[in-house]
Structure formats: C-alpha cells, structure tokens
Amino acid sequence: MEAYSHGIVKQWCSCLFLGIVLLLSSAASFAAAETQFHNFVVQQTPVKRLCKTHNIITVNGQYPGPTIEIKSGDTLIVKVVNKAQYNVTIHWHGVRQMRTGWADGPEFVTQCPIRPGGSYTYRFTIEGQEGTLWWHAHSSWLRATVYGALIIHPKDGSAYPFAKPKTETPILLGEWWDANPIDVINEARRTGGAPNISDAYTINGQPGDLYKCSSQDTVVVPVELGVTNLLRVINSALNQELFFSIANHKMTVVGVDALYTKPFTTSVIMLGPGQTTDVLVNADQPAGRYYMAARAYQSAQNAPFDNTTTTAILQYSSTKNKKASPILPKLPAFNDTQAATTFTTSLRSPRKVDVPTQLDEDLFFTVGLGLNPCPKGQNASQTCQAPNGTRFTASMNNVSFQLPSTFSLLQAHYERATHYERANNVFTTDFPAAPPTKFDYTGNVSRALQTPVQGTKVYKLKYGSKVQVVLQGTSIFTSENHPIHLHGYDFYIVAEGFGNFNAKKHTSQFNLIDPPIRNTVAVPVGGWAVIRFVADNPGVWLMHCHLDVHITWGLAMAFLVEDGVGELQSIEPPPADLPQC
C-alpha cells in the first residue's frame, strides 16, 4: 500500500511538473508576441524635389513615411489622425487581415474614409507571414506620397531560412510628380483622357543623380567588403512596373510579398506596383561606388510613360574617393517583356505547397481598358479627350467597378441582416463568373466590345471554397501588363502565358507542386495568369489593378466571402470608431 501511494504521489508530481513546464512554455510563447502602438498624423508637408518645393501629403511629416518593424505574431494598433485637406484611409498591403477586414483600408470597400479632422484606429495581428510588405493610402491618388515599409521579422526563436545578413535596407521605389498628384488625377477625370505621366522615379523618396537639383540628396547605402546585405525592394510607384538592378552585383531572390521563395540568382528584378522582393546582395566587388537603378518596364504600345531613371548608390565603406562617379548597371530595354517574364517565371515556393486541386469555383475574368462614348451634350474637346472623342474606362468581365459613396461594401454586407433597407442597395451580388461575350481577347477586338457597363457588383463565395481565377488580359484599346492585387489573401500563381487561355491546352502546364505564393500577380501583356486560393477569410475583399489610373477607371471587382460556422469563421464586429460616411 505504501509503495502504491508513493507511486501515485510520484506520478502526480511528474504530471504537476509537466503541467508547469507546459504553462511556462505557453506563457513564454504568449509573451513573445507583442503589441505595438503607433500614431500616424496625415498632414501637409513642404518637400523640395526637382528644384521646386511642393506641399505634399505625408505621414508624420516623413516622405516616404515611417518604417514599421514587427515580428510575426505581433499585433499592430495604429491611430491615424487626418490633419490634411483630403479624405484618407490606410491599407496594409498584403496583410491577411484574418477576420479583421475593418482594418484593411480601401476607401468605400471596408470603411468610409477618415474625413479631415477625423481619426480611426487600425487594429490587427500578423500571423504566418515573414518578410517585406508595405502600407499606403488607399484614397484617390494620395498613395503617391503616403506610403512606407512594413517589415515582418521571424518570431523569437525562429530564423530566416538563409544565413542572417549583417545589414537590412528597405528600398522603396516611387514616382514623383512636379505637381499635386490629386490635381493630376482630377484633371484626368474631368477631361476623360490619360493623366500626366510622372516627372521622376525615386528611391527612398529621392530621385538621384540623373535628375536636376537632386545629386546632393541621392540615397547612399553603405556596405562592407565581403558582407551580405538584405535589400527589401518595394514598388511603391503609382502607375509603373519597374526594373531594378545594381551595377556589377548579382542579387539572390529569397522572398516576395512576405513569403520565402526558392533562392535563385539574377542581375535584374521586375516589380509591378504593390509587389515586394527580398534579395541578398554580397559585397564582393572591388571597393567603390555602384549605382542601384530603376526604370520603367513599359508593356503598353504607344502609351506615354516616364522614361527616366532613378538611382541610389551602393558605397563600400573602404572606398577612398567618396565623390567618384558610380558605375551604372545595364537595365533591360523599356519594352523587354522577355526579361520581365524570365524573372516572374523563375519564382518558386521553397518546398511542396498545398495547392487546391478539387475546385468549387472556376472563374474566368477578363481585365483591360476600354472607351466610353462622349456623353450627349458635352464638349468633346474638353471632356472627351481619349481617342476618337471618347473617355477612358476599364473593366473586369465587362463591368467597370463603381465605388459606393454612402456606405462601405463591408459595412453594407454586415448590416444587411439588421438594417436591410439602408444597406440593401449598396451593391449587387451578380458579378459574372465569365465574360458575358466570348471573343478573341488578345486579337482584333470589335468596337462593340469597347464600352463596359458600370456597376457595383461583387462575387459571392462560400466560406472554405476552393477557387481558381483565370485572369485574361485583353487588347481592347491596348494590351499591357496588369499587376492584379487581391486584398485579404495570398494566392498560388499556378501558371502564366501569352495569347488566349485555353483550358484544354494549358491546364496540363499548371505547377501544382511549388508555385510561388503572392498577393499581387503581374498578368503578362497580351496574356493570362491563373491563381488559386481557399476562401477562408470572411469579409469583402477588393481585387484590382494596382496601376492606380486603372482602378480609377474601374479595373476592379470584389469578392464577398460569407461567414463559416462559429465565431472563428466569422468577421469580427466593426470597431466603435469606424468612420461613418
């Protein structure tokens, strides 16, 4: 009996010890996750570029805005106070926002804008993502100057899947207008024509040596001989895909859109607006000064574009002559689609991934530009300055997306059950699963197909449904590369190609083993891309072209993902300070 009792006590002590260990382990894990608080003051700030001073909209007086660094698993609480003269929202580009769609940010989609003098606090947790994302305004063209890096480090106790670099540097590629960007897009809306192109590209807010009045402020990135550096490259430009290269240095790509990739080495990368690419650069060249440079990848024929080149300087610390002229890299030609394709098709996930194979939704979306006839009674020379006296438009599946103005889509969806009358007429759920008319998408297109219908239409998805979307570019007016961004989700890019997608021919070419995972896909000029994802995040999620002029013209749609079963598969209630329209 005594031995039996002793065994019971021993067993109880062991269980108690194990329980304490597990409790402490759990507490340590919980303690490792942090909550960060930030204040963003959106305000007008005088900034001098290209010899002139402009009052631009900034966050906390900084251009670009503050870099936020967190660990995977951390929670961000960011209070945004609007002291500018424009409405504003902030989008956390690429953050999954699991059940926290109220924090996603696109104006009139997940929230009404923050009015001048108002404020709103974004609250969300980042899980399962590591690498480089960014944040930017999602209201009119404010993101021309309102943007910054969002860097997600591994959790404590975790590590990069590569040797930790000694230094890390965000490289934000941007676009600069020698004018107020809001005036630029408002003028284009008035005339119906294309907006004026930018006057410069920038790296971390500076145009660089090749522009007037800019040499003194050119960004210098210091490096040490023999040291590996991690560059976090972000295309923050408003309307332009960009090539990026470093003179005499190779780049090893290790991540895109806050997800790791199978490493590969290249001398040039291509990023569409919204995309990020993490590259390792080994400082293995003779001590000196080497230009980092970016310039346009312009895929649309005969369309005007900014053909200038922005530069920063990679400077070895042991360089004796720190005023020596840097070496320029050889960048691809502006229209080098082969270089762009070589880069995008080289991307792979590091290992086998769980690509959906049994599909619940097989969707086909055409994406491209169009032309609206000049409204009757208007002066064509003033308000219809697109080709042949028309107005530019854009669409998906012949629907030119129109944002609501009195409700956000998510608010209307959430309130339909309780406030049916006021929320019911905000949107319809009849976005087409395929184009209403089949045609030679990348060939000669009939003028009868140039004019889309306008509408605020969403496509409804059941929670957990496995979705495939074929994104088919069109040659209506012109064909070009379209960076298509899906809010609230990462997706697998299982294939891309040129010409018209043919399921019988191209399905056998799908990569269902290790396709790259992204939040923004560059749909090839005159071609197509196929993405897959699981609809496991309830809410209303915008999908749009990240060339901002195209979303202005209507190249967008939205998915309405229904709640699943129970609280953990349902959208959270709206926060008390959600802006009202």
Side-chain angles (χ1 to χ4, degrees):
M1 183 72 178
E2 184 178 340
Y4 175 76
S5 300
H6 178 72
I8 289 289
V9 171
K10 184 177 180 181
Q11 186 178 25
W12 179 82
C13 289
S14 297
C15 291
L16 180 62
F17 176 76
L18 179 61
I20 292 172
V21 169
L22 290 173
L23 184 63
L24 290 173
S25 174
S26 175
S29 174
F30 180 78
E34 299 176 352
T35 298
Q36 283 197 29
F37 297 85
H38 295 270
N39 288 311
F40 276 15
V41 178
V42 180
Q43 61 191 44
Q44 189 169 268
T45 303
V47 170
K48 187 175 183 179
R49 296 292 186 274
L50 307 181
C51 314
K52 295 181 183 178
T53 298
H54 293 277
N55 286 318
I56 68 170
I57 306 302
T58 67
V59 167
N60 298 347
Q62 300 176 40
Y63 170 66
T67 293
I68 293 180
E69 296 193 49
I70 65 168
K71 298 188 300 293
S72 182
D74 285 356
T75 296
L76 271 176
I77 298 178
V78 184
K79 183 176 181 179
V80 177
V81 178
N82 186 7
K83 292 187 176 181
Q85 67 269 42
Y86 305 109
N87 295 338
V88 72
T89 64
I90 300 294
H91 170 50
W92 311 92
H93 187 111
V95 174
R96 285 292 315 271
Q97 298 290 2
M98 297 300 295
R99 302 177 54 236
T100 53
W102 307 105
D104 190 44
E107 183 180 52
F108 293 116
V109 178
T110 59
Q111 67 168 98
C112 297
I114 307 168
R115 306 290 185 184
S119 67
Y120 178 49
T121 300
Y122 294 89
R123 303 171 177 86
F124 55 93
T125 300
I126 297 179
E127 281 281 6
Q129 295 178 283
E130 294 179 13
T132 306
L133 295 175
W134 63 303
W135 58 265
H136 60 79
H138 212 298
S139 183
S140 185
W141 270 23
L142 283 186
R143 83 168 178 90
T145 56
V146 179
Y147 62 85
L150 174 57
I151 296 171
I152 309 165
H153 297 288
K155 294 181 179 181
D156 290 340
S158 299
Y160 297 126
F162 45 82
K164 185 177 181 179
K166 186 171 182 179
T167 60
E168 302 183 10
T169 307
I171 301 292
L172 294 101
L173 311 178
E175 247 177 315
W176 176 264
W177 275 262
D178 205 5
N180 181 347
I182 303 299
D183 292 343
V184 172
I185 188 56
N186 285 345
E187 176 68 5
R189 285 193 179 106
R190 185 188 69 79
T191 66
N196 291 340
I197 61 173
S198 57
D199 296 286
Y201 300 113
T202 58
I203 295 178
N204 292 353
Q206 294 292 344
D209 285 350
L210 307 185
Y211 297 90
K212 60 184 179 180
C213 305
S214 301
S215 294
Q216 184 177 349
D217 297 311
T218 298
V219 170
V220 176
V221 177
V223 296
E224 296 179 27
L225 185 65
V227 169
T228 298
N229 307 273
L230 176 62
L231 301 184
R232 301 176 177 275
V233 189
I234 303 166
N235 187 348
S236 317
L238 211 63
N239 290 316
Q240 191 62 61
E241 293 94 344
L242 294 167
F243 288 120
F244 176 83
S245 188
I246 307 172
N248 292 12
H249 289 74
K250 295 287 188 180
M251 296 175 284
T252 300
V253 177
V254 293
V256 292
D257 294 0
L259 291 156
Y260 296 117
T261 63
K262 194 170 291 181
F264 70 95
T265 300
T266 180
S267 60
V268 63
I269 61 176
M270 191 283 287
L271 305 93
Q275 294 182 323
T276 73
T277 305
D278 291 345
V279 296
L280 297 174
V281 179
N282 189 20
D284 57 2
Q285 295 300 302
R289 288 155 53 87
Y290 301 84
Y291 273 132
M292 303 173 176
R295 74 176 185 188
Y297 163 48
Q298 176 63 10
S299 59
Q301 291 187 358
N302 302 321
F305 69 99
D306 181 348
N307 64 1
T308 61
T309 302
T310 181
T311 56
I313 299 171
L314 192 75
Q315 180 171 286
Y316 283 67
S317 57
S318 56
T319 300
K320 293 181 179 179
N321 184 0
K322 295 196 167 45
K323 293 186 178 180
S325 296
I327 301 168
L328 265 172
K330 183 179 179 181
L331 285 159
F334 296 117
N335 62 350
D336 194 343
T337 292
Q338 181 58 52
T341 303
T342 297
F343 175 73
T344 58
T345 56
S346 296
L347 294 168
R348 295 282 188 277
S349 288
R351 60 191 65 84
K352 188 179 187 303
V353 289
D354 189 17
V355 184
T357 53
Q358 301 298 318
L359 300 174
D360 301 303
E361 299 276 0
D362 192 356
L363 309 176
F364 190 103
F365 292 175
T366 55
V367 297
L369 305 186
L371 298 169
N372 280 333
C374 194
K376 291 182 179 179
Q378 291 199 7
N379 185 330
S381 65
Q382 295 182 1
T383 61
C384 300
Q385 295 181 11
N388 302 315
T390 60
R391 293 177 61 86
F392 276 119
T393 184
S395 66
M396 287 188 176
N397 277 357
N398 202 47
V399 178
S400 185
F401 189 74
Q402 304 296 299
L403 287 170
S405 59
T406 59
F407 249 84
S408 73
L409 297 178
L410 183 59
Q411 186 181 6
H413 164 57
Y414 190 83
E415 291 195 7
R416 271 188 167 188
T418 55
H419 299 85
Y420 184 83
E421 291 300 325
R422 70 174 184 171
N424 188 48
N425 296 321
V426 177
F427 64 86
T428 59
T429 58
D430 56 346
F431 185 86
T437 302
K438 292 184 178 180
F439 58 97
D440 182 2
Y441 307 112
T442 55
N444 293 320
V445 180
S446 166
R447 291 190 66 176
L449 295 169
Q450 288 183 349
T451 305
V453 298
Q454 293 186 340
T456 308
K457 300 175 183 288
V458 305
Y459 191 89
K460 189 180 291 187
L461 294 172
K462 291 187 178 299
Y463 183 91
S465 57
K466 298 174 178 62
V467 184
Q468 173 174 289
V469 184
V470 176
L471 296 164
Q472 173 68 63
T474 71
S475 58
I476 299 174
F477 180 65
T478 186
S479 60
E480 63 182 293
N481 185 294
H482 293 282
I484 302 297
H485 172 48
L486 174 58
H487 289 232
Y489 286 89
D490 293 318
F491 48 74
Y492 303 97
I493 305 174
V494 299
E496 64 175 76
F498 295 97
N500 296 333
F501 177 76
N502 183 323
K504 292 181 180 178
K505 175 182 176 183
H506 293 130
T507 302
S508 62
Q509 301 171 14
F510 286 4
N511 177 5
L512 303 180
I513 305 300
D514 61 350
I517 308 173
R518 305 204 73 161
N519 62 59
T520 305
V521 56
V523 179
V525 53
W528 49 269
V530 182
I531 66 172
R532 291 187 180 184
F533 63 96
V534 178
D536 59 358
N537 192 10
V540 180
W541 305 107
L542 189 66
M543 186 164 77
H544 64 96
C545 183
H546 222 274
L547 305 177
D548 268 29
V549 64
H550 289 180
I551 189 175
T552 301
W553 290 337
L555 212 169
M557 59 83 62
F559 286 109
L560 191 164
V561 181
E562 297 177 319
D563 285 346
V565 178
E567 181 182 2
L568 295 181
Q569 295 183 1
S570 302
I571 186 79
E572 291 182 357
D577 64 339
L578 184 72
Q580 300 298 307
C581 289

